Amino acid sequence: MNFASRINYSIDNIERSIVADTLVGTKYSNSQKKKLYREKEKALSKFPDLEKIINIRHIHKYSIKGVNIFSRIGIIPSKFVISDDRIKDMCQNQFWTAFRRQRKRKGELRFTRCPGLTQHSSCPYFTPPAEKVREKLDKADIFIALQTRLFNEIKDVEWEYLTINRLREEIESLIGKKAIIQQFGAGPCQSCHPLPCLGMGKCRDPRKKAPALEAMGVPVGQLCRDMALLTGDKSWEIKWIKHFGLPNMTPKKWKVVFGLAVKLPKNGKR
């Protein structure tokens, strides 16, 4: 793609530029992606019980308040998922945001980095380098992506992590605990909510830990474009938010994406 006509420093353009500068991002044509996608669909068909739970209607049956905000689920060959340290580095970007203080309704306006950086155990610099994430993705066969509909509620994200952990547990019960190579969240992990993160790399329950896709170097925009390409569902695509949390924020609603890198047993057996 020629970016010469789109010279600016938007997150979208920066991410697309990084994708275009990676081996994985340039290795496969769209036709090759579709061919490999069909192969993974065929491999998944050997596990009909697993196919049944990779379905949004199944996810909505979970007894979790808020689970219906998740709107779509699908798979992609894990080899298409990119991990690049430059995506992780974007967590250092300075931005205007409103930090809410306890017992005060109005937020304090700050120009700063993400508050999870260097503090939260699922955030840089406690996440593995991109080459280690690449090794995890290469061990997996499929990447299950789970995306919400557009929403604007920021008070409680516990349901997001309860859902991804419930899905992980179901998959483990079907094809074994070794099947889950890595799980991914959106933003600082909240699997221990309402307990605060122990921080500084420590974790109460590493099995439930869900570092953000971006914190693992994954360009979420490209992941969602690939999901749209392979499923034919354009609603997978995302728009980046400007001025998050401020009165001039645009767009006013957003979607979040979670994921699981899964290794399928050989010959259809655990």
Side-chain angles (χ1 to χ4, degrees):
M1 181 180 292
N2 182 1
F3 294 97
S5 61
R6 302 173 62 189
I7 300 176
N8 62 60
Y9 295 99
S10 72
I11 297 298
D12 182 52
N13 283 353
I14 293 172
E15 191 204 62
R16 287 174 185 264
S17 296
I18 292 172
V19 169
D21 192 42
T22 64
L23 177 61
V24 174
T26 56
K27 185 176 181 179
Y28 304 100
S29 66
N30 285 350
S31 60
Q32 288 174 319
K33 287 182 177 182
K34 290 178 179 179
K35 180 177 182 293
L36 289 169
Y37 173 66
R38 289 191 293 270
E39 291 177 0
K40 293 304 180 184
E41 281 190 311
K42 184 178 180 179
L44 180 60
S45 69
K46 297 178 181 179
F47 305 90
D49 290 340
L50 179 58
E51 277 189 305
K52 289 178 182 177
I53 69 174
I54 305 176
N55 183 293
I56 198 62
R57 289 188 294 274
H58 177 80
I59 300 299
H60 288 169
K61 292 179 182 178
Y62 292 168
S63 298
I64 299 171
K65 184 179 179 180
V67 71
N68 287 339
I69 297 177
F70 279 109
S71 183
R72 58 195 64 87
I73 187 172
I75 69 162
I76 186 174
S78 57
K79 63 175 63 180
F80 296 166
V81 181
I82 296 168
S83 180
D84 192 289
D85 284 324
R86 290 171 292 182
I87 297 295
K88 291 174 59 177
D89 289 344
M90 291 171 71
C91 292
Q92 300 181 64
N93 288 352
Q94 303 280 317
F95 63 102
W96 284 107
T97 189
F99 283 82
R100 298 187 181 279
R101 291 180 172 179
Q102 291 183 345
R103 300 180 182 178
K104 288 189 177 182
R105 292 184 178 181
K106 293 184 178 181
E108 177 188 357
L109 193 62
R110 297 185 194 175
F111 187 67
T112 185
R113 306 180 301 181
C114 175
L117 188 70
T118 74
Q119 302 297 316
H120 205 284
S121 295
S122 67
C123 295
Y125 299 95
F126 303 112
T127 51
E131 62 182 37
K132 295 297 182 182
V133 178
R134 179 77 264 151
E135 290 176 6
K136 289 176 177 287
L137 292 168
D138 287 342
K139 289 179 181 178
D141 295 299
I142 60 173
F143 186 95
I144 301 173
L146 182 61
Q147 188 187 70
T148 66
R149 59 173 167 78
L150 289 168
F151 71 110
N152 60 0
E153 180 60 64
I154 61 175
K155 292 181 180 179
D156 178 23
V157 297
E158 182 182 10
W159 54 270
E160 300 172 8
Y161 293 87
L162 289 172
T163 301
I164 194 65
N165 278 294
R166 173 66 187 279
L167 178 60
R168 172 185 56 77
E169 290 168 356
E170 277 200 286
I171 294 174
E172 288 177 337
S173 68
L174 283 173
I175 57 176
K177 290 186 176 182
K178 291 184 179 180
I180 304 298
I181 303 300
Q182 179 67 50
Q183 71 176 16
F184 301 81
C189 176
Q190 300 293 319
S191 284
C192 290
H193 182 83
L195 296 174
C197 179
L198 293 176
M200 305 307 291
K202 298 177 182 179
C203 183
R204 292 185 182 85
D205 192 345
R207 197 70 192 166
K208 293 182 178 180
K209 188 176 180 181
L213 286 155
E214 296 94 334
M216 298 289 273
V218 178
V220 179
Q222 182 60 43
L223 171 64
C224 292
R225 286 191 292 274
D226 281 335
M227 289 298 303
L229 169 71
L230 298 175
T231 65
D233 183 357
K234 291 293 184 181
S235 60
W236 274 101
E237 295 186 6
I238 63 173
K239 292 182 179 180
W240 294 101
I241 291 176
K242 297 179 181 178
H243 313 299
F244 185 78
L246 303 182
N248 59 335
M249 185 179 89
T250 181
K252 298 297 184 182
K253 294 184 177 182
W254 58 85
K255 296 183 283 190
V256 297
V257 184
F258 282 67
L260 289 166
V262 180
K263 182 176 179 61
L264 300 174
K266 294 181 180 179
N267 302 319
K269 299 179 180 179
R270 288 182 61 166

